[in-house]
Amino acid sequence: MSKKLDRSVIKSAAAVKELSQGELQKMAHEGTKEAVEKIRKYVEAEKDFEKKSYAEMALEECEVFYYQPRNEKEEEDFLLSELIRRKENYIDDLMMKIEGIESEIEKLMLEKKVHEKVLSSHKNKKEEWKYNWMQDFVTMEENKLGEIRDELAYDEAWVVEAKKIITTARYRNMPKRHLEHYDFNVDDGYENEHDCDCDDDEDCCDCLT
């Protein structure tokens, strides 16, 4: 049984007109919502590597003009968008830490089973070996897990409320990659948390952690 081609897909692809470098440059300088969408669709449809690369550069330039803050409130929303981006990245890190601790607890519990078998099979060594595994190992990890989960819950709530404050419509769906081009000169403790200004990373405690 032959499958019919989805004509709507073909029609959609055909509807994306090839744009010359001149047209791309012109739209990039327009910096409008329509220009951003038109270039973005062209980037998605273009198969030629060089043409696609040029269109991607035009898209970035167009986005610079489009997302540029135009008043004090937009400047606040723009900065808040960056803080949200950083917080969401930090949330991802916390979730990875939680997964790591949960795996560690699972490993410790498995080690406990083996430890009990060892003590059972070597009764003459029970007193000498009994501290090779202790419940404190699990308790420490569980305490860390609780602290991180609490921090995660707060940060997720923070992001929800922060997004409500943003009233500039075009910032609500602004690509995160766009914000990465800017130096906001804001130290929130989330970006580069392990960076160190020292010149010798062999003797610096911060560099070794």
Side-chain angles (χ1 to χ4, degrees), residues 2-140:
S2 62
K3 294 183 178 179
K4 292 183 178 180
L5 293 174
D6 189 339
R7 295 188 179 277
S8 63
V9 174
I10 298 175
K11 186 177 180 181
S12 176
V16 180
K17 173 181 173 290
E18 181 174 349
L19 301 173
S20 67
Q21 290 189 2
E23 289 174 315
L24 286 168
Q25 191 174 41
K26 181 181 178 181
M27 283 190 289
H29 292 164
E30 289 174 0
T32 62
K33 179 180 180 180
E34 293 73 19
V36 168
E37 288 302 317
K38 195 169 184 178
I39 299 174
R40 186 176 295 158
K41 287 180 180 178
Y42 175 65
V43 168
E44 293 172 354
E46 182 57 66
K47 303 300 181 185
D48 183 85
F49 177 77
E50 290 186 2
K51 292 180 180 179
K52 188 182 186 75
S53 297
Y54 190 89
E56 287 172 341
M57 289 190 293
L59 177 59
E60 287 187 7
E61 186 176 359
C62 190
E63 287 176 339
V64 168
F65 289 110
Y66 178 61
Y67 292 116
Q68 186 73 22
R70 299 163 190 168
N71 53 54
E72 188 174 339
K73 180 61 174 77
E74 289 191 359
E75 287 179 0
E76 178 185 288
D77 285 354
F78 193 72
L79 175 57
L80 187 53
S81 296
E82 167 63 7
L83 296 181
I84 290 171
R85 182 190 72 84
R86 295 187 185 190
K87 184 78 79 170
E88 287 179 333
N89 287 344
Y90 186 66
I91 285 172
D92 290 340
D93 291 341
L94 289 180
M95 293 179 72
M96 290 181 64
K97 286 181 180 180
I98 287 174
E99 290 180 5
I101 294 174
E102 288 175 338
S103 296
E104 179 64 17
I105 291 174
E106 185 178 351
K107 178 180 75 71
L108 286 170
M109 296 309 296
L110 187 58
E111 289 178 349
K112 178 185 179 182
K113 287 184 179 181
V114 178
H115 176 69
E116 291 172 346
K117 291 286 186 182
V118 170
L119 296 185
S120 178
S121 300
H122 299 79
K123 291 183 172 57
N124 61 322
K125 291 285 189 177
K126 188 173 183 179
E127 285 301 313
E128 183 180 346
W129 289 352
K130 67 179 181 180
Y131 295 116
N132 284 7
W133 191 96
M134 295 186 293
Q135 184 61 36
D136 288 350
F137 299 158
V138 176
T139 302
M140 287 173 59

Side-chain angles (χ1 to χ4, degrees), residues 83 86 90 93 151 186-194:
L83 296 181
R86 295 187 185 190
Y90 186 66
D93 291 341
E151 184 178 5
V186 175
D187 183 9
D188 54 14
Y190 299 128
E191 295 273 294
N192 304 319
E193 61 178 346
H194 296 301

Side-chain angles (χ1 to χ4, degrees), residues 155-167:
D155 286 344
E156 288 178 333
W158 188 96
V159 168
V160 170
E161 296 305 319
K163 287 182 176 180
K164 293 178 183 178
I165 296 175
I166 295 177
T167 58

